[in-house]
């Protein structure tokens, strides 16, 4: 009996307007999937950040349920020690964990957060969080040497993607992508599998490094030989996808997804400079040049709030009895938080226009808030502006990123494409609306005839494909 397979190709940060609107005709393999299946914009998590977004996609749980709210997480109610999230923080079962309990085998490559690697029924290569190949990065462990011998030096990410040496960076992005897809082809051909999932990080890195060369509306745009760098890279990735598709049969269900989109970055809003001007953050002494905010710079006994930089803003309140030197009584916590929300939402930009800032109270967004959420999540300027955590910037609005060159911010929506590989091509794509990335895991399970697990938030996306013929009848 022929066994159904599901293949998920993840393109970190792939932007809907580029895939569905601008370059569809230049991406023949993606176009064929779009016109033979279903597709649509895939709403990301809040925040739309790589690690929580992919984790939400493969568990169908929101960041509050997962207990991490970004790339770094507060690990205690102190003023430092934020920790990079890794696979040990992911306690909810992933879709491949569930499939494994039903006797199905998976190949998983680079899905965040999968470092350090955990055992699965199948094989796994860990994600971009892996320091380097000297660290354990595969399951089974012996797979690492096999990849090195049969394919070459696998790359998890590109070092220092915020650099002015974009020529070198572009070469390194191509090499990373080339080796990842070659590894995928090797595993597909040489390992047994029912479910395959990979995530390519190059789409994210090339957006951040080259968006301002492409987008004539960008504040940093200038004529450059790199104007078509992103477009050419998408065409390259499409060809790599085409080579993967040649390796699977016509009954294989193929999904192409991204965790969030991308948009131009107009600049950065200096969250801690703003808090200083609001009288909510007090430094021990003035800082007159751009300086990362570190705990030792702050007079905590006179500080009521501080913030973090990143593609979105995180604001923490210095609560009495919660933080080591907290001064905000719990009875005034909500009053202060509401004051900050009101001030942020009504803030004007440099020209006096509404800044369109969105502010989220975590406990109102998520089913639960495990671990330590920030007190507020903030999207500055409708995500056209990032959060700048440094102080001494001399302005609330800046046009260069304080952590290195970066031309793009994350956007709210990524892509979803699903088709049976051999399905006939129609004259028009079948577009779906109101898709959320938490829908992906229950949709994968449904393709194998497995019901969504209790606690999953996503719905199943109607791609109208049948049950798996070999599924075990047990339930998780």
């Amino acid at each position: 009996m022929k066994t159904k397979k599901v293949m998920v190709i993840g393109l970190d940060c792939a932007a809907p307007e580029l895939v569905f609107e601008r370059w569809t005709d230049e991406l023949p393999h993606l176009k064929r999937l779009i016109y033979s299946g279903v597709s649509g914009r895939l709403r990301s998590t809040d925040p739309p950040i790589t690690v929580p977004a992919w984790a939400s996609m493969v568990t169908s749980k929101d960041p509050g349920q997962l207990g991490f709210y970004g790339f770094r997480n507060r690990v205690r109610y102190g003023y430092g020690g934020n920790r990079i999230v890794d696979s040990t923080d992911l306690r909810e079962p992933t879709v491949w964990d569930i499939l494994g309990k039903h006797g199905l085998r998976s190949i998983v490559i680079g899905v965040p957060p999968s470092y350090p690697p955990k055992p699965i029924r199948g094989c796994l290569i860990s994600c971009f969080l892996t320091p380097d190949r000297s660290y354990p990065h595969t399951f089974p462990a012996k797979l690492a040497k096999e990849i090195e011998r049969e394919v070459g030096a696998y790359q998890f990410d590109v070092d220092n993607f915020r650099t002015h040496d974009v020529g070198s960076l572009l070469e390194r992005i191509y090499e990373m992508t080339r080796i990842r897809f070659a590894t995928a082809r090797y595993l597909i051909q040489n390992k047994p599998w029912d479910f395959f999932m990979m995530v390519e990080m190059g789409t994210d890195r090339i957006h951040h490094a080259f968006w301002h060369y492409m987008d004539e509306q960008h504040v940093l745009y200038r004529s450059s030989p790199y104007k078509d760098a992103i477009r050419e890279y998408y065409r390259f990735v499409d060809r790599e996808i085409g080579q993967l598709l040649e390796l699977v049969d016509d009954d294989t269900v193929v999904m192409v997804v991204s965790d969030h989109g991308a948009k131009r970055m107009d600049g950065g809003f200096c969250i801690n400079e703003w808090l200083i001007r609001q009288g909510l953050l007090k430094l021990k002494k003035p800082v007159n040049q751009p300086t990362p905010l570190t705990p030792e710079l702050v007079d905590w006994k006179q500080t009521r709030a501080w913030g973090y930089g990143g593609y979105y803003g995180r604001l923490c309140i210095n609560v009495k009895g919660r933080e080591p030197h907290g001064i905000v009584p719990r009875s005034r916590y909500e009053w202060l938080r509401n004051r900050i929300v009101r001030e942020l939402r009504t803030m004007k930009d440099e020209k006096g226009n509404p800044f369109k800032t969105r502010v989220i109270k975590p406990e109102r967004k998520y089913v639960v808030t495990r671990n330590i959420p920030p007190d507020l999540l903030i999207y500055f300027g409708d995500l056209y502006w990032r959060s700048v955590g440094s102080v001494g910037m001399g302005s609330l609005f800046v046009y260069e990123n304080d952590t290195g060159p970066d031309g793009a911010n994350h956007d709210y929506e990524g892509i979803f494409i699903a088709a049976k590989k051999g399905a006939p091509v129609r004259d028009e794509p079948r577009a779906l609306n109101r898709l959320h990335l938490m829908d992906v895991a229950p949709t994968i399970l449904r393709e194998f005839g497995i019901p969504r697990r209790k606690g999953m938030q996503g719905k199943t996306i109607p791609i109208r494909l049948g049950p798996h013929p070999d599924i075990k009848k047990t339930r998780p």
Side-chain angles (χ1 to χ4, degrees):
M1 180 180 290
K2 184 176 290 185
T3 301
K4 175 186 277 188
K5 295 178 183 291
V6 174
M7 166 183 279
V8 180
I9 302 169
L11 305 177
D12 195 283
C13 196
E17 64 271 27
L18 302 183
V19 175
F20 295 146
E21 298 167 18
R22 291 182 63 177
W23 299 335
T24 311
D25 289 338
E26 300 179 52
L27 309 171
H29 302 290
L30 289 175
K31 182 178 181 180
R32 179 179 174 82
L33 294 173
I34 293 169
Y35 277 74
S36 60
V38 297
S39 58
R41 289 172 172 260
L42 193 66
R43 182 59 165 87
S44 186
T45 48
D46 291 292
I49 297 296
T50 292
V51 172
W54 285 112
S56 286
M57 186 184 295
V58 299
T59 62
S60 197
K61 304 291 178 66
D62 70 32
Q65 291 174 289
L66 299 173
F68 43 86
Y69 306 90
F71 184 65
R72 291 180 173 82
N73 230 24
R74 282 185 90 183
V75 294
R76 63 183 67 87
Y77 282 112
Y79 305 120
N82 286 358
R83 177 178 170 275
I84 294 175
V85 172
D86 65 28
S87 69
T88 62
D89 299 296
L90 185 58
R91 310 293 170 81
E92 298 288 344
T94 62
V95 67
W96 54 84
D97 292 330
I98 299 169
L99 294 175
K101 289 184 177 179
H102 288 268
L104 299 171
R105 295 159 297 190
S106 298
I107 295 173
V108 177
I109 304 174
V111 183
S114 56
Y115 173 79
K118 295 177 179 177
I120 71 168
R121 186 177 176 87
C123 58
L124 179 147
I125 301 175
S126 59
C127 67
F128 78 110
L129 300 168
T130 312
D132 59 55
R133 292 194 303 280
S134 68
Y135 288 78
H137 59 273
T138 64
F139 180 86
K142 63 182 181 182
L143 179 63
K145 288 188 176 179
E146 182 180 341
I147 295 296
E148 190 105 8
R149 181 179 68 248
E150 300 293 338
V151 185
Y154 186 83
Q155 298 180 30
F156 308 97
D157 199 357
V158 287
D159 295 333
N160 188 26
F161 68 90
R162 295 191 180 103
T163 175
H164 291 290
D165 187 5
V166 291
S168 170
L169 175 63
L170 190 60
E171 292 178 4
R172 290 185 284 124
I173 290 174
Y174 270 89
E175 181 56 25
M176 173 183 66
T177 302
R178 188 177 294 111
I179 193 73
R180 188 157 9 251
F181 276 93
T183 302
R185 291 194 298 273
Y186 173 77
L187 293 178
I188 286 171
Q189 292 175 294
N190 291 281
K191 305 297 178 184
W193 62 280
D194 303 286
F195 174 69
F196 168 91
M197 183 170 183
M198 66 173 286
V199 170
E200 174 52 53
M201 288 301 297
T203 29
D204 180 273
R205 299 326 191 199
I206 204 164
H207 287 161
H208 290 300
F210 292 90
W211 196 280
H212 53 296
Y213 296 114
M214 171 186 75
D215 189 345
E216 296 183 6
Q217 296 184 42
H218 201 290
V219 67
L220 299 178
Y221 174 80
R222 64 181 186 277
S223 179
S224 165
Y226 297 110
K227 180 177 177 58
D228 291 324
I230 297 177
R231 179 181 177 182
E232 292 301 324
Y233 177 77
Y234 268 71
R235 295 173 64 179
F236 170 73
V237 169
D238 184 77
R239 292 193 294 273
E240 293 284 351
I241 290 173
Q243 292 186 50
L244 277 190
L245 297 182
E246 290 178 2
L247 303 179
V248 300
D249 64 31
D250 285 351
D251 288 330
T252 300
V253 176
V254 180
M255 299 183 189
V256 182
V257 295
S258 62
D259 55 332
H260 53 74
K263 64 199 319 181
R264 74 175 190 272
M265 186 190 296
D266 287 344
F269 182 78
C270 302
I271 183 172
N272 285 316
E273 292 283 351
W274 182 79
L275 288 169
I276 290 171
R277 296 185 188 192
Q278 293 290 315
L280 298 173
L281 171 60
K282 177 73 173 178
L283 302 183
K284 292 177 181 175
K285 59 182 180 180
V287 175
N288 299 317
Q289 60 184 5
T291 306
L293 184 75
T294 54
E296 56 271 20
L297 291 177
V298 179
D299 181 351
W300 293 107
K301 294 183 178 179
Q302 296 190 65
T303 287
R304 285 181 283 178
W306 77 100
Y308 293 98
Y311 295 121
Y312 70 108
R314 285 175 293 167
L315 186 143
C316 299
I317 294 178
N318 197 23
V319 179
K320 189 174 183 178
R322 192 182 76 174
E323 273 73 16
H325 304 291
I327 63 170
V328 178
R330 290 183 182 274
S331 60
R332 299 288 285 173
Y333 171 81
E334 200 58 34
W335 175 86
L336 176 60
R337 199 162 63 144
N338 287 335
R339 172 194 153 187
I340 294 171
V341 170
R342 187 170 57 251
E343 296 286 345
L344 288 170
R345 285 178 175 167
T346 58
M347 194 165 51
K348 306 290 186 182
D349 68 12
E350 287 182 296
K351 298 177 181 177
N353 299 313
F355 195 38
K356 298 180 179 178
T357 295
R358 297 179 57 193
V359 189
I360 296 171
K361 292 181 177 179
E363 75 278 9
R364 293 189 181 181
K365 187 67 185 177
Y366 307 127
V367 174
V368 295
T369 52
R370 296 198 169 99
N371 297 332
I372 304 178
D375 292 294
L376 293 172
L377 303 168
I378 309 163
Y379 302 154
F380 291 113
D382 196 27
L383 280 177
Y384 283 104
W385 293 72
R386 65 171 287 140
S387 175
V388 172
S390 295
V391 293
M393 305 298 288
S395 173
L396 294 181
F397 299 89
V398 296
Y399 297 97
E400 297 285 353
N401 181 28
D402 62 337
T403 57
D406 197 331
N409 206 359
H410 293 184
D411 207 353
Y412 304 102
E413 295 176 327
I415 63 170
F416 177 83
I417 304 167
K420 188 179 286 188
K421 184 209 168 184
V425 177
R426 297 185 301 272
D427 292 334
E428 297 290 335
R430 185 155 70 93
L432 301 177
N433 298 316
R434 303 178 67 81
L435 305 180
H436 194 283
L437 58 72
M438 287 191 290
D439 300 339
V440 173
T443 300
I444 293 168
L445 294 180
R446 195 270 313 278
E447 293 310 311
F448 288 105
I450 300 172
R452 62 198 293 278
R453 286 173 63 108
K454 184 178 180 181
M456 284 185 160
Q457 292 196 47
K459 62 183 184 299
T460 54
I461 299 172
I463 58 178
R464 300 180 183 178
L465 300 166
H468 190 276
D470 296 336
I471 189 69
K472 289 183 177 179
K473 299 303 180 184
T474 55
R475 292 286 182 262

